[in-house]
Amino acid sequence: MRSTQAPADAVLAELHEWHLALRAQFPIITGHPDLTYLDSAATTQKPQAVLDAVHTYLTTTNANAGRGTYTWANQTTALVRETGQRIKEFLHDPDPQHSGVHFVSGTTEGLRTIARDWLVPFLDDGDEIIVPFADHQANILPWLEARDLLARQGIRVLVRPMPYQPGSGDYDLAALDRLVTERTRFVAASHVHHVYGGNMNIHRIRRIVSPHVAICLDAAQSVGHLPVSTTELDVDFAVFSGHKTLALPGSGAVWARNARGPQFAPAGWGGSPNTTGIASLRAALDWLDAAGTDRIDRWARALAARLTDGLRSLPAYEVLGCQRSLAADTEVQQRHGIVTFRHRAIDSGDLGFILFSHGFMVRSDSHCQGSAGERQESVRVSLHVYKTPQEIDQLLAVLATLE
């Protein structure tokens, strides 16, 4: 795929002043100039607007939602309802009158709820589902649990592994085309891979599978990081975590299109929603819209290209994923703010400790990848709008001393 983006340095120069204004809005970043946070794929930092929204909610209208008739309760109930509508707008919902938004604690709970309360009743004996065994375990285990639950009911469901291109981490769409049968009912996929940082081309999956096949999108690494359009992707579910979207931990949402299969409705009594998390999520989406997710994505991609270009010149390091995307002026799609690598001689866990001794906070483990993924631990650098080119250069300088 030929890149439509300008070279990395040109993007960084174009967005420099925009970036400085946004970086200044993150107190934890500006308050710790001696530390460099490079783990935004695990959780994002929070802008002042989100912190202010939480403080305002807790000090002015804090109440339970849907369980009172007084002013604070009514305002909180409206907050929950309006945030659901705001999520539909943010995801470019193609049919907001028929879709639904259900608040959850995060992506993992959302995917498990879909598996338990929607997929299990939907499938019949002999049906097939496709599962991405080299993605995050949160997008693998719930579907296996659904299969096992159905097996205990005497219903046999075949789980087919999503095919991958060797070495790149991308889905092998040609092989997927050969894998789909008339009994394929459901495909689980990730929008952006949490280890390789690549866009997994979900719109192409819809072109391959039947128009009647449901697609569930793990959008944990895309919502809040780049523009997400459920209209363009033509998926049935999109699930994301608030804490990876500049909002508070313990918040997240399932967007359900309700166009294929039964309407999605979590079973049982819902209980009290995380109203503080929902308030933070509403503020985060407003902040992201004002900042521009397209520009956030361009900034993070340019930083990632700067990092991969630097690592390419250091023979001691192996960058995981597509090798054709390492150069800053690559003509293939760049990584969406995630770069994962190994030192050929130093253990990744040890490398993580070394980097922290220099003030760099990175992820260094197996990244919760599934059974078909990387077996060996690695170091993951993940970026967001509050990261600078200077920090990338400083990281590369430290890595170069370990050659």
Side-chain angles (χ1 to χ4, degrees), residues 190-244:
S190 301
H191 195 185
V192 170
H193 199 280
H194 73 292
V195 175
Y196 308 115
N199 186 314
M200 306 302 279
N201 289 309
I202 305 304
H203 64 289
R204 296 185 183 178
I205 293 178
R206 172 54 68 197
R207 297 174 192 169
I208 292 170
V209 302
S210 160
H212 304 294
V213 173
I215 298 176
C216 180
L217 187 65
D218 176 348
Q221 299 298 345
S222 58
V223 172
H225 299 258
L226 65 151
V228 178
S229 171
T230 54
T231 297
E232 294 179 4
L233 298 173
D234 195 9
V235 294
D236 299 274
F237 297 97
V239 190
F240 67 95
S241 300
H243 75 99
K244 300 188 186 206

Side-chain angles (χ1 to χ4, degrees), residues 50-134:
V50 170
L51 303 177
D52 290 345
V54 170
H55 182 267
T56 298
Y57 169 72
L58 290 176
T59 56
T60 60
T61 58
N62 178 42
N64 211 336
R67 291 166 174 80
T69 58
Y70 52 90
T71 303
W72 292 357
N74 290 339
Q75 290 174 331
T76 298
T77 300
L79 168 70
V80 174
R81 180 179 64 252
E82 292 165 3
T83 303
Q85 295 301 314
R86 186 72 182 84
I87 289 171
K88 294 182 182 185
E89 295 171 1
F90 194 79
L91 297 179
H92 301 280
D93 189 332
D95 189 9
Q97 298 303 314
H98 295 97
S99 64
V101 170
H102 303 270
F103 293 103
V104 290
S105 64
T107 303
T108 300
E109 184 196 354
L111 294 171
R112 293 193 71 189
T113 302
I114 295 168
R116 182 188 64 239
D117 297 340
W118 186 87
L119 187 62
V120 167
F122 176 57
L123 296 177
D124 293 323
D125 189 67
D127 283 346
E128 301 175 2
I129 64 175
I130 297 175
V131 174
F133 283 92

Side-chain angles (χ1 to χ4, degrees), residues 101-299:
V101 170
H102 303 270
F103 293 103
V104 290
S105 64
T107 303
T108 300
E109 184 196 354
L111 294 171
R112 293 193 71 189
T113 302
I114 295 168
R116 182 188 64 239
D117 297 340
W118 186 87
L119 187 62
V120 167
F122 176 57
L123 296 177
D124 293 323
D125 189 67
D127 283 346
E128 301 175 2
I129 64 175
I130 297 175
V131 174
F133 283 92
D135 290 9
H136 196 286
Q137 290 195 54
N139 201 19
I140 304 169
L141 298 181
W143 319 122
L144 300 182
E145 292 169 358
R147 176 202 60 187
D148 295 343
L149 179 59
L150 285 164
R152 290 194 290 271
Q153 301 173 16
I155 300 172
R156 182 187 62 86
V157 170
L158 177 62
V159 175
R160 292 186 177 274
M162 174 74 79
Y164 292 82
Q165 296 178 7
S168 72
D170 294 335
Y171 297 147
D172 187 335
L173 299 178
L176 176 63
D177 192 19
R178 298 188 294 271
L179 189 67
V180 173
T181 75
E182 70 278 1
R183 296 306 302 269
T184 303
R185 297 287 181 265
F186 177 85
V187 176
S190 301
H191 195 185
V192 170
H193 199 280
H194 73 292
V195 175
Y196 308 115
N199 186 314
M200 306 302 279
N201 289 309
I202 305 304
H203 64 289
R204 296 185 183 178
I205 293 178
R206 172 54 68 197
R207 297 174 192 169
I208 292 170
V209 302
S210 160
H212 304 294
V213 173
I215 298 176
C216 180
L217 187 65
D218 176 348
Q221 299 298 345
S222 58
V223 172
H225 299 258
L226 65 151
V228 178
S229 171
T230 54
T231 297
E232 294 179 4
L233 298 173
D234 195 9
V235 294
D236 299 274
F237 297 97
V239 190
F240 67 95
S241 300
H243 75 99
K244 300 188 186 206
T245 315
L246 308 183
L248 293 185
S251 63
V254 172
W255 171 86
R257 184 173 183 178
N258 296 328
R260 299 176 180 91
Q263 181 171 332
F264 173 66
W269 182 252
S272 299
N274 177 5
T275 53
T276 306
I278 292 170
S280 75
L281 186 54
R282 171 64 185 268
L285 297 183
D286 289 344
W287 191 93
L288 288 163
D289 261 348
T293 52
D294 57 335
R295 287 178 289 182
I296 291 172
D297 181 36
R298 292 179 65 208
W299 183 262

